[in-house]
Amino acid sequence: MAGPTAMSQQKVDNLPATQLQVVGGLSNLTAYQNAEQPFWTKTVPELSNGKVTATIKGFNEMGLKGPEILRLIGQGVIPIGTATLAYFASDNPINEAIDLAGLAPDVKVAREITEAFQPVYEKFYEKNNIKVLGFSTYPAQVLFCNADISGLSDIKGKKVRTSSRTTAEFVQALGGTSVTIAFGEVVPALQNGVVDCAITGSMSGYSAKWYEVATHLYSLPINWNQQIHAANLAYWNKLDPKVQDFLQTNIKFMTDKIWDAAARETQEGYDCNTGAAACSQAVKGKMKLVQPSEADRELLKKITVETVIPKWAARCSEECVKDFNSTIGKKLDIVAAK
């Protein structure tokens, strides 16, 4: 990717001087450190010959929790920002559409369905005074367990930390109990048996040292946790059209970089949590990597089609279900019924 990306990102001359304020994703994660922050603070000024400059801080550094970000963008309090779509599931179930548990077994499918549904989000958010600039993702969200598990059936009777409504419904369909715990509190919860398992990104779990308190890592992507990159619509419309084009083109390169990294980091998370030779990090965990069986892949799909999607369709609007069927449903050959 580096070659063509470097060639395609050309300098643009004669842009009007523009200063941007950006609220980024979680500052302790690699998507922010390796893509967002350098993009806004280095790439944008370099490619605009210093005419377009930006300041960026992760939302956590600003004392924000996450679920308020899109609302603040819509109100114009945040001009440009990044947020996890799953945070807004309770605002409107349309925000769950691209990341329902079991929908995307790999990063390629996750990206295809995100791109298929993007025009629906663009239309929906425009009504909320929000301009969608793009989407990216975290690495695969997988199960870390401080318990002996060999497959999905072992989740029955276990307490599992979930981070979204759709993963909670998935766990419940397996006979497990869904528990809501903040990311920062998962280590003691696993340690003390408050939960038996927890779902997070394979690399996020490694960064937070979950390998110190969990014994088994199950390498079956349950969902992905896509990020939305957006601007306040009124703010965006006031920017010079040349600046808009410049940003829109280059944000695409930034999101491409994050998608590519998510694929790599999913595997790196597996390697480093389990101490595989391929792990390039200094510290290696000793977790057992559990590979999903074909039967488990089928079970995941079955739960998605028979439980997760119908429950979601029941709480989403008729138009939302219709949009799902004409985009994601068409691609995956799945029909959601209202």
Side-chain angles (χ1 to χ4, degrees), residues 21-316:
Q21 276 182 303
V22 184
V23 175
L26 282 165
S27 64
N28 56 340
L29 297 182
T30 52
Y32 178 88
Q33 293 165 358
N34 301 341
E36 279 196 279
Q37 191 180 36
F39 171 76
W40 290 107
T41 58
K42 292 189 184 135
T43 309
V44 165
E46 276 169 17
L47 295 179
S48 65
N49 289 317
K51 289 291 187 183
V52 182
T53 54
T55 58
I56 182 171
K57 269 189 170 181
F59 71 80
N60 52 311
E61 296 178 296
M62 303 181 72
L64 297 170
K65 298 246 183 306
E68 70 279 60
I69 290 171
L70 278 186
R71 221 166 296 132
L72 294 174
I73 292 174
Q75 291 164 1
V77 178
I78 294 175
I80 299 173
T82 299
T84 303
L85 264 182
Y87 286 157
F88 315 108
S90 57
D91 292 358
N92 192 311
I94 196 170
N95 293 310
E96 300 172 90
I98 58 173
D99 200 32
L100 294 167
L103 210 53
D106 58 52
V107 75
K108 184 175 173 286
V109 176
R111 186 161 196 182
E112 282 172 3
I113 61 183
T114 301
E115 287 173 355
F117 206 71
Q118 182 162 334
V120 179
Y121 280 139
E122 285 170 358
K123 203 168 122 192
F124 173 77
Y125 274 111
E126 199 169 337
K127 292 177 196 159
N128 295 276
N129 200 26
I130 292 168
K131 161 81 179 168
V132 173
L133 301 174
F135 291 89
S136 61
T137 191
Y138 284 130
Q141 305 292 300
V142 291
L143 278 158
F144 287 72
C145 291
N146 191 14
D148 192 358
I149 63 155
S150 58
L152 287 180
S153 58
D154 292 330
I155 296 304
K156 189 175 181 178
K158 293 198 169 46
K159 301 185 291 285
V160 183
R161 179 262 183 183
T162 56
S163 53
S164 65
R165 184 164 179 175
T166 175
T167 49
E169 287 167 353
F170 168 73
V171 163
Q172 285 154 5
L174 286 168
T177 305
S178 163
V179 182
T180 306
I181 294 175
F183 184 78
E185 293 161 23
V186 172
V187 168
L190 279 166
Q191 216 166 9
N192 304 327
V194 173
V195 291
D196 304 296
C197 303
I199 298 171
T200 196
S202 60
M203 203 57 195
S204 308
Y206 171 79
S207 302
K209 300 184 176 177
W210 286 17
Y211 54 82
E212 290 181 351
V213 292
T215 54
H216 290 63
L217 178 61
Y218 189 49
S219 64
L220 179 67
I222 295 166
N223 66 319
W224 292 86
N225 248 5
Q226 284 92 327
Q227 309 292 294
I228 181 171
H229 304 269
N232 173 268
L233 187 61
Y235 172 85
W236 178 262
N237 288 340
K238 282 181 193 155
L239 293 175
D240 187 285
K242 285 188 288 190
V243 174
Q244 290 176 351
D245 291 346
F246 166 74
L247 290 174
Q248 194 75 79
T249 303
N250 287 298
I251 283 168
K252 174 83 171 75
F253 289 111
M254 178 187 76
T255 54
D256 281 351
K257 187 177 176 179
I258 299 173
W259 278 103
D260 291 345
R264 279 195 316 275
E265 288 180 11
T266 293
Q267 185 57 50
E268 195 180 358
Y270 298 157
D271 292 339
C272 292
N273 281 300
T274 60
C279 173
S280 60
Q281 303 289 331
V283 180
K284 297 185 181 187
K286 292 178 182 168
M287 293 181 73
K288 181 182 177 181
L289 187 68
V290 181
Q291 299 286 1
S293 64
E294 207 41 58
D296 266 4
R297 290 186 190 280
E298 286 305 315
L299 178 59
L300 176 64
K301 201 172 172 183
K302 186 175 188 287
I303 290 172
T304 304
V305 173
E306 293 178 10
T307 304
V308 174
I309 291 174
K311 283 194 171 189
W312 169 78
R315 59 181 180 263
C316 216

